[in-house]
Amino acid sequence: MLTVFDTAPYVAGVLSVGGVGVVISRRRELILRWATWAVTAPLLGAAMLLGRPGAAALATGLALAGLLEYRRLVRLPIPDTIVVAVALTATIVTAGAPRVLAVAALAVVLTPVLAGDGVNGAARSAYAVLGFAWLATLTGLVTLGDAALPLFVAVSLADVAAWCCGKAFGGPRLSPLSPGKRWLGVLGGALAGIGTLAVCDALTPALIIAVVVGAPLGDLLESMLKRGAGVKDAGTWLPGFGGLLDRIDSLLIALALAVILS
């Protein structure tokens, strides 16, 4: 598999070509997305250059930022959010050590029980467990080793291709959860993701399934949560995307599948 240094020219090339394209399009949303890409790509590369400590720091930062957005979506109480935050940090830093994972999950489940919440306790536990399980998949950035960066890049480019193909060609809708998503977009995203894995010398069955199946499912999972909350975006601070979860939703399930299948 290609290293961070090996992939840097390809990422720079994609950003350059994409920059020309978005300028020609003159679409504000595309320009904002490209700008976010241009800023975050070097940060991602720098973190991955540091090996497991850098990957763990990156994963923890993404998990905690995502948790704040998730908390607003499902109205998770502050005590539950704090416990989930600690559980996520411990899980990622220890690379999903079984005992740590078991204790973390137990603490998340029992927080409403210890609070004596007989009215909303079950819902609190369910939402807390979902948030913990969803965001803990970022541990894959640590445990997948050299495969993490190609997967990250492949999912990101698959997202872009899926959006472009869906907009350009239309076609049957993918799911009622996300009326804007199209099957042709999924196909375009799959081809772009597989092509990226091939360029990165990371074309393994596990990563192919992670990109082709996990990326669209991750998108739909977040769409379900946003529909339940009655909002369009998980946040407003990330230019062109909305929130962080809107940016990494596809990656989360892709990471889970990659870890399970690797």
Side-chain angles (χ1 to χ4, degrees):
M1 294 184 185
L2 301 185
T3 66
V4 176
F5 288 112
D6 294 328
T7 57
Y10 294 107
V11 175
V14 170
L15 284 173
S16 299
V17 173
V20 173
V22 298
V23 170
I24 293 174
S25 73
R26 296 184 179 181
R27 295 186 59 174
R28 182 174 182 274
E29 180 183 12
L30 292 180
I31 293 173
L32 289 175
R33 289 192 175 199
W34 180 88
T36 299
W37 257 90
V39 171
T40 57
L43 294 177
L44 168 65
M48 300 305 284
L49 270 176
L50 298 176
R52 287 175 69 94
L58 174 65
T60 302
L62 292 175
L64 295 181
L67 176 60
L68 293 178
E69 295 180 355
Y70 176 78
R71 173 183 178 268
R72 289 192 293 270
L73 286 178
V74 301
R75 298 179 176 85
L76 195 65
I78 292 178
D80 304 61
T81 303
I82 293 173
V83 172
V84 174
V86 174
L88 284 171
T89 303
T91 299
I92 294 171
V93 168
T94 60
R99 289 184 179 179
V100 174
L101 184 59
V103 171
L106 192 62
V108 169
V109 171
L110 292 180
T111 299
V113 176
L114 297 176
D117 189 346
V119 178
N120 299 311
R124 285 173 57 182
S125 282
Y127 277 128
V129 169
L130 173 59
F132 172 67
W134 192 31
L135 294 168
T137 59
L138 286 163
T139 305
L141 292 176
V142 181
T143 59
L144 287 174
D146 291 339
L149 183 59
L151 178 62
F152 201 128
V153 175
V155 169
S156 298
L157 293 181
D159 272 350
V160 174
W163 187 86
C164 292
C165 290
K167 289 287 185 182
F169 303 114
R173 298 182 187 279
L174 176 61
S175 168
L177 292 173
S178 185
K181 302 294 187 300
R182 310 283 177 163
W183 277 107
L184 287 177
V186 173
L187 177 60
L191 293 175
I194 292 173
T196 303
L197 291 176
V199 169
C200 294
D201 193 25
L203 201 60
T204 66
L207 296 187
I208 291 173
I209 294 173
V211 172
V212 173
V213 179
L217 285 179
D219 199 323
L220 291 178
L221 174 57
E222 198 216 0
S223 293
M224 180 183 71
L225 291 172
K226 290 190 294 187
R227 278 189 168 272
V231 298
K232 180 179 181 296
D233 296 315
T236 58
W237 64 277
L238 199 60
F241 291 96
L244 179 66
L245 290 178
D246 301 308
R247 174 66 184 81
I248 65 170
D249 53 358
S250 299
L251 177 67
L252 295 174
I253 301 302
L255 281 170
L257 287 179
V259 170
I260 292 169
L261 297 174
S262 293

